Amino acid sequence: MSLLPGTLQRENGRAMDTTLTGLLIGLCMIFMPAPAQGFNDSIRSNPKGGTLTGQRSRTGSSPVGQATTVSHHLGTIAAQPDRTVSLELLGSAPLLFASYFDLYPLEASTNLVDWTPLTTLVRTNLATHDLVYRDTDAPGFGHRFYRVPTNHFFTALAKPSGPYYVGRTTRVLTDTSRTHRYRIATNSSFMITIWYPADRAQGGGPAPYIDPQLAGPLAEPHLGYSGDDASRLAGLFTFSGLNVPPATTGSPYPVVIYSHGYTFHRQESSEKLEELASHGFVAVAMDHLDCRATVFPDGRALRGVFTDPPTPTAIEKAVADRLADDRFVLEALAQLNASDPLLAGRLDLSRLGAMGWSLGCSDLGLLAQTDDRIKAMMMLDGYLQGAPGLLDQVLQKGWRLPLLGMYQEDLSLAPLFDQAVRNATQDTYFALVHGATHLAFKDLTEESLAIEPVRRGSTAMRSCMLSFFNKHLKGHDDRLLDNPTNRFPVLSNYVRR
């Protein structure tokens, strides 16, 4: 087994040499265009305090799409009677991202050299109201400067709700017992991504959603689906910071491993995995052999190996390959926890959970039934294909560990849920999600999914996921799973043991 660090990416800004003194309120705007473009820095100030009004718009060429849009900038900044500061943040998005969100990472400084992250504000691109932030820490400073990047950070993801900032890193795993991976005779390696609780003060992010080379392959129509928009996928970001230092409190953290859908990719459920990390979990996902494509740190983009449409034989082979990946990842995590420069000592592998979407439920279900290190499992619209006997085990005998299953609204599943709960020997929960199609159980990157009814279902999934893993990996029970339909009417046919 060998482990190699993934690529390290940073946003770099040019230092400012402007010196300003005696300011009660300073407004600093650092323009940070997309990579490979120069920086255009400007600064405005109001030495007498009070209100300072910036330009209401600044037009520039959008780094993604063809539409002309308004770059991020600070508008009105005003000192309130209680000495807090009100900041107006402005900008607009091209039509390609109209149904999504835009992130405004806001930072503050007292000397224009040392900058501290304040918050990441989220604006719905269809919103018509102004985005305003109240800096309640401002009264503690004699003067204060603010900056926001002018380039857009569009995202399809909901903001993580936990107290931790989220870090993200990649590693290359090499399993020398298996070769010819991705049709390269000498290749035994595959990629994993790790999300972890991080130190917000260290900054970083927002990180790109995927490697740019993946946008084209991931957007292709497949398995009967119409596909996605490559330009939009390439322009999406997340709430994670790349390779930022881990948090110093609360570790070691429980670990949840994730397995992607057939022909999809390891970052397809970033929204859920960031949510877990923000609440003190480490989440790990891998690219299986049947992923659509994968990118290595040296820039090689390789296609996965899959059949479209898949045959039963192809699915069984894929599940067997995936199960070997899952087992190898568990061993690799022990090594990372022992010696990895970033993550050593941060993983509590005695509190290990699993979560899969679609075919990812099959390999992790087999793992969970044979490896007692797995303490709890969540299934997202998974029907256990390619895993003979596993469905019968769920329905007739129950699994050996707590199980949460959430599925698209198909009333024919209700009797199966009742049977599974009736025969369960451990805590077991099932629910249907109104308005959710199969693709709605991963990130809502497709425009047809980026609508409020579907997002309500996604919110319910994240909340139930967090409650489930908090209860069964941390011992913290918020009682949501007693009956989550009270809080989330989008859920139906809820049964539990």
Side-chain angles (χ1 to χ4, degrees):
M1 180 192 305
S2 65
L3 303 174
L4 298 175
T7 54
L8 176 64
Q9 302 180 35
R10 294 189 179 95
E11 298 276 8
N12 294 313
R14 178 167 58 84
M16 295 183 60
D17 57 7
T18 306
T19 302
L20 298 176
T21 59
L23 301 183
L24 173 63
I25 300 173
L27 172 63
C28 177
M29 298 195 302
I30 305 296
F31 296 125
M32 297 170 60
Q37 299 180 17
F39 284 90
N40 178 13
D41 303 339
S42 72
I43 183 165
R44 300 195 308 272
S45 63
N46 181 5
K48 295 183 179 179
T51 299
L52 180 132
T53 304
Q55 296 174 338
R56 295 293 301 178
S57 67
R58 180 178 183 271
T59 302
S61 177
S62 173
V64 287
Q66 299 300 315
T68 298
T69 187
V70 178
S71 302
H72 289 179
H73 60 286
L74 290 162
T76 299
I77 178 170
Q80 305 300 315
D82 61 359
R83 291 182 53 81
T84 62
V85 172
S86 176
L87 298 150
E88 181 186 42
L89 295 98
L90 303 172
S92 66
L95 290 177
L96 184 63
F97 295 94
S99 300
Y100 300 85
F101 308 103
D102 198 0
L103 309 184
Y104 290 72
L106 184 63
E107 297 183 337
S109 174
T110 59
N111 58 15
L112 294 175
V113 176
D114 303 306
W115 292 91
T116 301
L118 281 185
T119 187
T120 296
L121 301 173
V122 183
R123 180 180 179 84
T124 303
N125 288 333
L126 292 174
T128 58
H129 61 274
D130 292 336
L131 183 62
V132 177
Y133 176 74
R134 180 69 67 91
D135 182 8
T136 57
D137 294 331
F141 298 88
H143 56 271
R144 194 100 145 138
F145 303 93
Y146 302 92
R147 72 179 183 181
V148 66
T150 57
N151 48 305
H152 294 275
F153 297 103
F154 299 117
T155 186
L157 313 182
K159 185 176 183 179
S161 66
Y164 290 101
Y165 183 60
V166 179
R168 194 180 91 198
T169 191
T170 60
R171 296 292 182 270
V172 181
L173 303 189
T174 301
D175 180 1
T176 56
S177 69
R178 295 182 291 158
T179 59
H180 211 271
R181 194 173 183 110
Y182 308 123
R183 295 194 173 95
I184 297 177
T186 58
N187 182 48
S188 300
S189 300
F190 61 100
M191 297 298 301
I192 66 170
T193 292
I194 304 170
W195 293 259
Y196 55 92
D199 184 353
R200 185 180 301 274
Q202 297 295 323
Y209 178 57
I210 57 172
D211 292 287
Q213 302 98 307
L214 292 178
L218 294 182
E220 293 170 354
H222 67 291
L223 299 180
Y225 301 118
S226 58
D228 208 338
D229 188 293
S231 297
R232 184 169 56 238
L233 280 173
L236 291 176
F237 287 81
T238 69
F239 290 87
S240 307
L242 290 174
N243 301 293
V244 295
T248 57
T249 60
S251 65
Y253 306 106
V255 178
V256 175
I257 61 172
Y258 179 83
S259 184
H260 63 72
Y262 186 67
T263 78
F264 279 78
H265 61 107
R266 69 185 189 274
Q267 288 163 237
E268 69 190 13
S269 286
S270 291
E271 182 177 83
K272 296 179 183 66
L273 303 179
E274 287 189 339
E275 177 73 358
L276 285 172
S278 79
H279 284 274
F281 293 83
V282 171
V284 182
M286 70 214 80
D287 272 342
H288 294 297
L289 179 63
D290 61 79
C291 70
R292 184 75 54 77
T294 190
V295 178
F296 283 86
D298 61 7
R300 287 179 299 157
L302 305 178
R303 291 279 185 156
V305 180
F306 52 84
T307 302
D308 185 5
T311 64
T313 300
I315 291 297
E316 287 194 17
K317 184 180 186 307
V319 171
D321 286 336
R322 287 159 161 260
L323 182 57
D325 291 343
D326 301 337
R327 289 171 172 159
F328 189 81
V329 166
L330 290 188
E331 301 307 317
L333 291 179
Q335 184 176 339
L336 288 171
N337 200 38
S339 59
D340 187 80
L342 185 68
L343 299 171
R346 307 290 180 175
L347 283 60
D348 185 349
L349 296 175
S350 69
R351 296 184 291 169
L352 189 61
M355 178 169 63
W357 170 58
S358 193
L359 194 64
C361 299
S362 297
D363 52 285
L364 287 182
L366 290 172
L367 180 71
Q369 292 306 296
T370 57
D371 193 322
D372 59 10
R373 288 176 292 182
I374 307 294
K375 301 298 191 294
M377 179 167 173
M378 181 176 183
M379 297 198 303
L380 296 165
D381 213 38
Y383 297 86
L384 306 180
Q385 307 100 310
L390 196 55
L391 179 59
D392 288 341
Q393 180 77 21
V394 174
L395 297 177
Q396 304 296 336
K397 300 179 182 179
W399 280 7
R400 64 159 194 86
L401 75 172
L403 175 65
L404 168 62
M406 304 189 79
Y407 287 80
Q408 59 184 305
E409 196 170 35
D410 179 353
L411 295 180
S412 68
L413 295 174
L416 299 180
F417 292 169
D418 292 337
Q419 181 181 355
V421 167
R422 186 169 58 249
N423 294 323
T425 59
Q426 301 292 328
D427 288 352
T428 303
Y429 319 83
F430 285 96
L432 299 179
V433 184
H434 176 68
T437 63
H438 188 56
L439 293 181
F441 288 82
K442 63 169 188 61
D443 293 335
L444 308 180
T445 56
E446 292 86 353
E447 190 170 26
S448 62
L449 301 176
I451 55 176
E452 188 55 34
V454 179
R455 285 179 175 143
R456 284 195 291 268
S458 186
T459 299
M461 291 181 220
R462 291 195 310 277
S463 295
C464 290
M465 170 196 71
L466 184 62
S467 179
F468 176 72
F469 285 122
N470 270 335
K471 178 177 180 178
H472 294 290
L473 298 185
K474 290 187 175 183
H476 302 159
D477 189 0
D478 63 5
R479 315 301 300 185
L480 173 65
L481 295 179
D482 289 353
N483 188 3
T485 61
N486 292 333
R487 180 175 166 190
F488 299 106
V490 71
L491 301 179
S492 65
N493 294 87
Y494 180 70
V495 291
R496 63 182 290 266
R497 175 199 179 274

